[in-house]
Amino acid sequence: MSKPTPPLPRWADIVLLPLINLLAALVLCGLVIFAIGENPFAALKVMINGAFVYQGALGYTLFYTTSFIFTGLAVAIAFHARLFNIGAEGQASLGGLGATLVAFAMAPIPGIIALPLAIGSAALFGAAWGIVPGYLQAKRGSHIVITTIMFNFIAAALLVWLLAGMMLEPGQFSPQSSLLPEQTWLPKIHEMLGWIGLKTTATPLNASFLIALCACLFFWVLVWRSRLGYEIRTVGQNQEAAHYSGINVARVIIITMAISGAFAGLMAINQIQGVSHKLILGFTAGYGFTGIAVALMGRNHPVGIFLAALLFGALVQGGTELDFEFTVITREMVLLIQGMIILFSGALAYMFNPPLARLLARIFGTKEDANA
Amino acid sequence: MTYALELKDVSKSFGLVHANKDIDLAVSPGSIHGIIGENGAGKSTLMNIIYGMHRADKGTISFNGQQVDVRSSADAIEHGIGMVHQHFMLVPTFSVLENVMLGSEGGLTLSEGRATALERLTHLSTTYNLEVDPHALVSDLNVGQRQRVEIIKALKGGAKVLILDEPTGVLTPQEADQLFEILKVLRDDGVSVLLITHKLTEIMDITDTVSIMRQGEMVGHRKTSETSPQDLAELMVGREVLLEVTRTPATPAEVRFSAKNLGYTNSQGVVELEDINFEVRAGEILGVAGVSGNGQTQLMETLAGMLPLTTGVINILGTEVTSADATSPRIIRDLGVGHIPEDRHTHGLILDFEARENMILGFHDSELAGSGKLFDYSAIQQNCEDKMAHFDVRPSNPRLSAKNFSGGNQQKIVIAREFSANPGVLLVGQPTRGVDVGAIEFIHKQLLELRDAGCAILLVSVELDEVMSLADRIMVLCDGQNVGIIDAEKADRSTLGLMMAGQKAEAAT
Ligand SMILES: Nc1ncnc2c1ncn2[C@@H]1O[C@H](COP(=O)(O)OP(=O)(O)OP(=O)(O)O)[C@@H](O)[C@H]1O
Ligand SMILES: [Mg+2]
């Protein structure tokens, strides 16, 4: 027991601390870039331009953001029940499979029915892939971290088997399916803007971005306004008290994992129904894992998750640009920057908490103190 | 004379709550000094200030006449202060020795620190009768033994002032007596003991001086020999207090709640309850007495549906529940059973939730949380405000997290919630643990009112006095078995004592 740390005011916890973490990561990256002989400020400028300013940049950024929102929400909802879902990657893969299978089955059916069904199927397949580890945790006590990791491998293997086998497009040599029926494609945002007469650059940004925003709202209502959300939070805080109060803890764990899996599964619609229009091996691109960082940085709150997803989207998009413009800065360098940000805002999220809290307490003379 | 500890003008606020206002306190060396006060009066806060866990907004602290600035508990320990908290702070998977070593592990390897700690530990336990096996795992110790480990930890740095925050709340009367013997030895050795308790008899029995707090202020200091429990209670509450409720005879009606041949065997195959039979009628209180650890907890939890029955039948308002049925707390609650759990921190409350969210724990599916599909926070707020007002929960702030209420007010939140649901059957475990005399009076009155309104109440308490003053009939448990049920009129301490040791009622009377 050392010095008591005063708690951070809420605004500082939500806004200031993440910004400081981000800054720290950027400073460190800047030093690395400087060390390899490039100007860190020039690099930063390219990153920002690449992510937001260049023509179509924002569309690309928001396209990645969409995927991160879904996986971030997936990790966050599980976390409200104190479940560490590492399996968003596998659940997203299954979501892709679900969307693809239903889309093919819907070949003769009009889009108005086929499209939502394919989307729902992505969510459903993802949910199913979340339910199994949830069930094993709830009824058998198998640790969710272990099972969800195993399920990532199973999902990956399943997709390889299908895409290299019965789902492989005839005449193709890379593991991917044939094109989905067109009416199951999600409209692009630039197309949608075109319907109302606005001309914008074509980007991969598609209607799933709007679905992601709805998902954020749904998440908020679910967690803080619904009876189920109360049960989820109660189970997350204290399982014994939840049991005492009549909540069926096992049921809540399973349902939470289903919802979590469904969010993760929806990430697939952005990639598959939105852009590639076919199931491609490895389309999840590790975004399921990035979701963990997004949820951590976003403090498991939809607004925070949106902002964190935007940041990671900008990193991916801006990073690609960096790779283009500087010869010494390679893809690996970009990964380093991402890693640094994950490190500071995820793993070391609270490193600056005590000094910041003390500083603020000194400035504002807060009287509140930690309940030691 | 120089005091071992002297506070002048100490104040502390948490936001709008003025937890301590201009507190003066002086403790002589080699004395036992009691601190009493209602729940939320600011006792724990004051102790935490002395121990460096909170920082006072203003005021001074002196040890042995020297003014010091206590900025952390490390500072406090250096100045010779030791503290045993209201809730234990031990690592259960560590041995006693390892727990004692924490914070003074020594150099690179543990061997040196281990040797010195072992030496200190043996020294302390022989001088102060703090018997405990240094190599036992803390998780294997009972509550009394754990507390001894806490005391050894507090004393290991050579503490001259020892603070004990409600040490007897979790102890059986026998364990409490042993603790007091230890405190007397410490006092005779020149240690000043600061003892917080809600039990006035303990204050009268063991302290030399006593200070009384009310709503953040020090309202008096007394020599124990010159005061009385009644006097102290009035100072604390600011009005006259009935230390014992006047109980009108019960008018029991139909049987509402009964158990036949109830048994519970735990997952390790240990029989924890065997052949329990009882009936509780509407309008009566059946008390359950027994030395703690004789099956009371299991009895409450099986009846509440938290543990599965192994054998037997429970009849709740005409509905039978047997071991074949998958019971759950939900099913039992829906039959009209309320439950005040023995341990509010593990079961009764979600410490990180706001008070208003705790006020609907177990009722979040009901109207209390709003009539629509979604939560209606204005209804939730209103519900909490009403109950806080009726049960005098302080501070009456529905948005405060449960963990920021004082121990007794946390209990009032649980009681408010369960009482207000108007249960047909009520299971009550240790309702007044850690609760001040004024609140005890209130809770007891409420329990009797509920009884008179026709509720069937099963009351478990390790406080024999509480059971004797509230129950109409008393069931005694020993070793998971029902030793007998006797009328409260016929029960006296010695009869119950013999029964608690396992002698059948007929033989005992
Ligand atoms: N960290 C905190 N934040 C806000 N309020 C607090 C905090 N800690 C204590 N309080 C408030 O300060 C007051 C004094 O609390 P304290 O715990 O000192 O009471 P107490 O005398 O120990 O009561 P009890 O006998 O019930 O343990 C209470 O009103 C409590 O709600
Ligand atoms: Mg206290």
Side-chain angles (χ1 to χ4, degrees), chain B residues 120-169:
Chain B
R120 268 316 279 158
L121 201 159
T122 345
H123 173 74
L124 287 171
S125 56
T126 45
T127 13
Y128 301 124
N129 291 329
L130 288 159
E131 276 163 50
V132 54
D133 172 12
H135 303 293
L137 279 187
V138 165
S139 54
D140 293 337
L141 303 182
N142 66 32
V143 187
Q145 292 168 322
R146 286 184 200 202
Q147 191 167 54
R148 274 178 234 160
V149 180
E150 286 279 16
I151 296 176
I152 292 174
K153 263 177 70 185
L155 290 175
K156 78 172 173 196
K160 287 316 236 173
V161 176
L162 178 66
I163 302 171
L164 298 153
D165 194 347
E166 287 189 43
T168 56

Side-chain angles (χ1 to χ4, degrees), chain A residues 106-286:
Chain A
M106 292 287 145
I109 303 202
I112 190 106
I113 298 170
L115 187 60
L117 277 181
I119 294 172
S121 158
L124 223 58
F125 270 61
W129 213 243
I131 285 176
V132 185
Y135 176 85
L136 291 172
Q137 169 78 65
K139 302 279 186 182
R140 293 279 173 274
S142 327
H143 203 288
I144 200 106
V145 170
I146 311 290
T147 45
T148 49
I149 290 176
M150 294 195 313
F151 267 65
N152 284 339
F153 287 108
I154 301 175
L158 182 68
L159 253 64
V160 170
W161 178 65
L162 287 172
L163 285 173
M166 58 188 83
M167 285 180 78
L168 182 70
E169 186 185 0
Q172 257 290 356
F173 291 106
S174 62
Q176 55 186 41
S177 71
S178 38
L179 275 189
L180 306 185
E182 206 162 325
Q183 79 274 23
T184 61
W185 299 3
L186 279 165
K188 298 267 165 49
I189 296 286
H190 64 89
E191 293 166 2
M192 293 167 77
L193 290 175
W195 298 339
I196 56 167
L198 286 173
K199 270 189 90 73
T200 44
T201 323
T203 68
L205 183 63
N206 58 76
S208 44
F209 177 62
L210 304 177
I211 299 177
L213 293 183
C214 295
C216 286
L217 184 67
F218 171 78
F219 183 100
W220 182 83
V221 173
L222 173 72
V223 173
W224 286 285
R225 282 294 177 275
S226 80
R227 294 171 203 263
L228 176 62
Y230 180 88
E231 296 191 354
I232 292 174
R233 287 183 293 127
T234 304
V235 167
Q237 289 287 342
N238 181 343
Q239 289 203 2
E240 293 195 54
H243 178 58
Y244 151 84
S245 76
I247 292 172
N248 185 339
V249 176
R251 180 177 153 268
V252 170
I253 288 177
I254 295 170
I255 292 180
T256 307
M257 280 307 290
I259 299 172
S260 175
F263 278 132
L266 282 175
M267 173 235 161
I269 64 170
N270 186 37
Q271 305 278 345
I272 293 172
Q273 286 174 269
V275 180
S276 64
H277 303 142
K278 54 189 165 196
L279 184 59
I280 304 175
L281 193 66
F283 75 92
T284 47

Side-chain angles (χ1 to χ4, degrees), chain B residues 256-484:
Chain B
R256 283 214 170 161
F257 186 52
S258 67
K260 228 181 256 135
N261 185 28
L262 183 85
Y264 171 70
T265 306
N266 72 9
S267 54
Q268 271 98 53
V270 180
V271 178
E272 298 199 285
L273 288 177
E274 205 181 345
D275 196 23
I276 305 284
N277 297 286
F278 64 83
E279 284 179 349
V280 193
R281 291 171 177 274
E284 86 170 336
I285 299 180
L286 176 66
V288 179
V291 177
S292 71
N294 275 277
Q296 293 96 319
T297 307
Q298 289 78 7
L299 178 67
M300 288 293 269
E301 295 194 355
T302 42
L303 294 176
M306 292 166 68
L307 292 175
L309 305 181
T310 315
T311 60
V313 186
I314 306 173
N315 189 315
I316 302 163
L317 297 160
T319 309
E320 291 207 333
V321 179
T322 70
S323 55
D325 301 317
T327 53
S328 79
R330 179 81 275 149
I331 295 174
I332 304 287
R333 274 174 178 275
D334 287 344
L335 290 173
V337 178
H339 179 198
I340 291 165
E342 289 183 313
D343 184 339
R344 56 179 171 259
H345 280 188
T346 23
H347 294 128
L349 291 169
I350 309 285
L351 291 174
D352 277 321
F353 277 11
E354 293 171 351
R356 58 180 188 172
E357 289 188 300
N358 273 294
M359 213 53 111
I360 55 168
L361 187 67
F363 301 93
H364 66 280
D365 269 330
S366 77
E367 294 272 306
L368 297 185
S371 42
K373 273 225 160 329
L374 295 179
F375 270 13
D376 173 359
Y377 271 96
S378 59
I380 292 171
Q381 177 87 10
Q382 192 59 49
N383 169 54
C384 189
E385 277 171 12
D386 293 348
K387 287 180 183 158
M388 284 180 139
H390 186 220
F391 287 83
D392 190 28
V393 180
R394 280 180 258 173
S396 56
N397 176 3
R399 299 300 302 270
L400 198 63
S401 299
K403 63 167 187 271
N404 288 337
F405 284 87
S406 72
N409 281 297
Q410 291 175 340
Q411 181 71 350
K412 284 199 210 165
I413 293 177
V414 179
I415 287 186
R417 182 181 71 209
E418 300 295 320
F419 277 22
S420 316
N422 247 323
V425 175
L426 184 65
L427 306 170
V428 189
Q430 319 292 357
T432 55
R433 182 176 272 177
V435 169
D436 68 53
V437 281
I440 289 178
E441 180 196 13
F442 178 77
I443 291 169
H444 284 180
K445 254 175 44 197
Q446 292 279 332
L447 266 172
L448 290 174
E449 264 175 38
L450 214 57
R451 177 198 79 172
D452 293 337
C455 184
I457 299 173
L458 186 90
L459 166 76
V460 170
S461 174
V462 290
E463 302 285 334
L464 208 47
D465 291 326
E466 180 163 57
V467 175
M468 285 168 55
S469 67
L470 287 176
D472 302 304
R473 291 180 305 133
I474 300 173
M475 167 162 86
V476 181
L477 285 185
C478 178
D479 223 4
Q481 298 192 359
N482 179 359
V483 184

